[in-house]
Amino acid sequence: MSIYIKVNNTEYPAEINGNPKDRSWGERDTKTVTLTMTAAEVATLLPDNTPWSIVQRETLDVLDEQGNPTGETKEVVNEYDNSEYSLAGDITDHRDGTVSIKMGKPTETESAKATVTALAGEPVTYARAVELRPIIEQASVSLSDGEAASVPELITAWAYPVAYAEGDRRSYGGKVYKCRQGHTSQADYTPDKAPNLWAVIDAEHAGTQADPIPAARGMEYEYGKYYLDGEDGKVYLCERTGEQAGGKIVLQYLPHELIGNYFKAV
């Protein structure tokens, strides 16, 4: 088997070793990449935040229907994205024509700081971030449903016990939900388990066959629109005998589970 790293669609022969808890670098998860080039070339090839992947190439025998070798071979290629190892660390020149560079994952603290910086536009203290959070949540109220659905991190999280009014939006489990009727929340009735109280909001999709809406349990489906079922990767039309296009219904099921009742495969 031959190992390469792939950067900017170019493959370079490499040796790669992993260390899930590198004590010399803040106990972060790292991968050491050894390449045949100069230290300056490695530094240019793999600066911080460079997308890169590991490519494995292997030549295997072609087998017949009985599992016997045919005398022919084929190349099997597997590629694994490693862009999460985005921090460029120490570079070591081995003085034999090879150079190693450590590529590390950001720690949780570093990721949190980067997220706050991206949101605030500049580095801020934790105390300042706490002050900004309710302002961000308040500003998010002005977003359309489609815009809100695309940024669940900015939407106030669902909590209990809280009195909610019809139309309130809350984030839960990486999705944004809209309150269907006023109620006081309870621990056992999270938005994903209470379709009579909450409906998943879709990020803006046309609902056409070319631009189907990603389906979710607890979603408010609309008759006449198309939905992409994430479990089987197929597109379905929401329809039901006697129902007019534009009518809506909240279902705690995915389209493939209700074929013939509320959905038709296309």
Side-chain angles (χ1 to χ4, degrees):
M1 179 184 294
S2 299
I3 305 295
Y4 303 81
I5 69 163
K6 185 176 180 180
V7 182
N8 294 325
N9 292 318
T10 301
E11 295 180 14
Y12 303 87
E15 179 182 327
I16 302 167
N17 294 293
N19 185 350
K21 198 172 185 179
D22 193 326
R23 294 183 178 178
S24 67
W25 195 6
E27 297 194 338
R28 75 182 69 245
D29 188 356
T30 65
K31 289 192 177 179
T32 300
V33 182
T34 302
L35 297 154
T36 303
M37 56 179 68
T38 68
E41 289 172 332
V42 169
T44 300
L45 182 68
L46 290 169
D48 286 344
N49 301 313
T50 298
W52 65 284
S53 59
I54 296 174
V55 177
Q56 295 178 343
R57 293 182 175 274
E58 186 174 10
T59 300
L60 300 177
D61 291 327
V62 176
L63 306 179
D64 60 22
E65 294 180 356
Q66 286 72 44
N68 300 312
T70 63
E72 298 179 354
T73 60
K74 62 179 180 180
E75 184 181 46
V76 177
V77 180
N78 292 301
E79 183 171 347
Y80 306 94
D81 181 43
N82 275 257
S83 297
E84 59 187 348
Y85 293 86
S86 60
L87 300 180
D90 292 340
I91 295 177
T92 304
D93 190 334
H94 300 288
R95 298 183 181 276
D96 61 358
T98 65
V99 173
S100 295
I101 181 172
K102 283 187 178 181
M103 300 300 294
K105 281 186 181 180
T107 63
E108 290 186 8
T109 298
E110 289 169 339
S111 295
K113 287 181 178 179
T115 300
V116 170
T117 299
L119 288 173
E122 61 183 23
V124 297
T125 64
Y126 175 79
R128 179 58 175 161
V130 171
E131 293 175 351
L132 290 174
R133 178 64 199 183
I135 297 173
I136 291 173
E137 292 181 356
Q138 183 178 1
S140 71
V141 173
S142 65
L143 298 175
S144 69
D145 283 352
E147 291 169 335
S150 67
V151 287
E153 301 87 352
L154 303 186
I155 307 303
T156 303
W158 177 86
Y160 69 91
V162 175
Y164 290 113
E166 181 179 348
D168 284 348
R169 296 185 306 215
R170 291 294 183 269
S171 62
Y172 184 84
K175 295 183 174 66
V176 177
Y177 292 79
K178 194 168 188 175
C179 182
R180 304 186 67 225
Q181 64 182 57
H183 67 284
T184 297
S185 57
Q186 299 178 39
D188 295 338
Y189 291 94
T190 55
D192 61 322
K193 297 178 180 178
N196 59 317
L197 300 176
W198 297 94
V200 177
I201 301 175
D202 169 55
E204 294 178 341
H205 290 82
T208 61
Q209 191 168 351
D211 184 22
I213 299 169
R217 300 183 192 279
M219 171 175 280
E220 185 175 64
Y221 294 96
E222 182 174 336
Y223 297 113
K225 289 195 173 183
Y226 293 83
Y227 293 84
L228 175 63
D229 191 319
E231 286 196 358
D232 65 5
K234 296 181 180 179
V235 175
Y236 296 84
L237 172 64
C238 181
E239 66 171 14
R240 186 172 174 83
T241 301
E243 298 289 350
Q244 299 297 315
K248 298 179 180 180
I249 185 172
V250 176
L251 298 170
Q252 195 64 15
Y253 299 91
L254 293 174
H256 77 272
E257 298 171 315
L258 294 174
I259 294 177
N261 291 318
Y262 289 94
F263 296 95
K264 180 178 73 174
V266 296

